Amino acid sequence: MNTILAFPSRKGGDTTLTEPEADEAELVRLLREGDRSAAEDLVAITYQTIYASLFRLCGGDGDLAADLTQESYRRAWTALPQFRGGSRFSTWLYRIAYTTFLNHVRRPRRVVSLDEEAAVEVRDVRPDAEELLSGSEQAGALRRAVLALPEDLRFTVTAHFWGELEVKEIAVLENVTGAAIRKRLHKAFDMLGITLGGEAS
């Protein structure tokens, strides 16, 4: 199954490359210069993580997660001129995906049309649904508890565990220190323990 993703051709300046962001940064530079294959490569290296995190946020609804993943890339291509490289592209993309999910929750019937003339076909590399749904009852309880957290804690937990972002990457997105992110995680664990302990009793 192929997913159609649209992106605009952009012209942009050079990007200073540093490890471990070099590959993503180089692809972003090429994409800004109108290289369509760079968009395909960026999707190939980020799709599985973005889809998997949205799959969990969507409670195992694979079709919805796929739709929101596609919408996240559409938003990313549109917003690419605003991406300044202060974080990895994949880190920036996760924030877009998370916001796309929240927008869907607020407007669940929103439909987005894509410009098929600018579309790029990308191989579907979604994780196996059965694997992600193992232990679905416990996963459902955890998801409900996570989504009930205050916004800052919810984003931190989902970004770290479902989006696979490092503490320092989340700190850049949130414009706080790594220590502040670790404190958020500890506070979230305490709250989740109370919530899940209550559900189990």
Side-chain angles (χ1 to χ4, degrees):
M1 172 180 171
N2 287 332
T3 302
I4 305 300
L5 302 171
F7 73 97
S9 293
R10 301 285 186 188
K11 291 289 182 182
D14 193 15
T15 301
T16 301
L17 303 180
T18 58
E19 295 294 345
E21 298 88 4
D23 290 344
E24 290 184 6
E26 174 66 5
L27 289 171
V28 168
R29 184 186 68 79
L30 292 171
L31 177 56
R32 282 175 164 155
E33 293 178 353
D35 185 344
R36 294 172 64 85
S37 65
E40 295 175 353
D41 291 342
L42 278 169
V43 173
I45 63 178
T46 58
Y47 187 96
Q48 186 165 342
T49 298
I50 296 300
Y51 173 83
S53 63
L54 285 168
F55 185 92
R56 290 176 174 89
L57 285 168
C58 294
D61 186 333
D63 289 338
L64 176 57
D67 288 346
L68 294 182
T69 300
Q70 181 166 290
E71 169 66 1
S72 297
Y73 282 104
R74 187 195 71 80
R75 288 172 180 255
W77 305 147
T78 300
L80 193 63
Q82 282 75 55
F83 177 59
R84 299 299 177 220
S87 65
R88 294 173 57 191
F89 172 81
S90 53
T91 303
W92 178 73
L93 178 61
Y94 177 80
R95 168 61 91 175
I96 291 175
Y98 178 80
T99 302
T100 300
F101 167 76
L102 292 184
N103 288 342
H104 170 78
V105 170
R106 292 167 187 145
R107 293 173 289 176
R109 289 295 180 181
R110 187 164 177 262
V111 177
V112 177
S113 62
L114 299 178
D115 179 3
E116 294 188 2
E117 291 183 5
V120 174
E121 290 194 9
V122 180
R123 183 171 59 89
D124 188 342
V125 291
R126 285 179 284 178
D128 183 79
E130 291 182 7
E131 178 184 336
L132 290 175
L133 281 172
S134 60
S136 59
E137 186 173 334
Q138 290 181 337
L142 177 59
R143 174 182 176 270
R144 288 190 298 274
V146 168
L147 294 182
L149 290 170
E151 167 58 24
D152 59 338
L153 303 185
R154 180 174 65 226
F155 175 75
T156 301
V157 168
T158 58
H160 188 54
F161 293 101
W162 296 348
E164 300 179 5
L165 301 186
E166 296 180 11
V167 167
K168 63 182 180 181
E169 294 178 306
I170 303 170
V172 170
L173 283 179
E174 294 288 88
N175 197 28
V176 298
T177 65
I181 294 299
R182 284 188 285 273
K183 285 181 181 177
R184 286 188 191 180
L185 289 172
H186 285 303
K187 184 176 181 181
F189 294 157
D190 288 343
M191 294 178 69
L192 290 172
I194 293 171
T195 301
L196 294 173
E199 285 194 12
S201 60

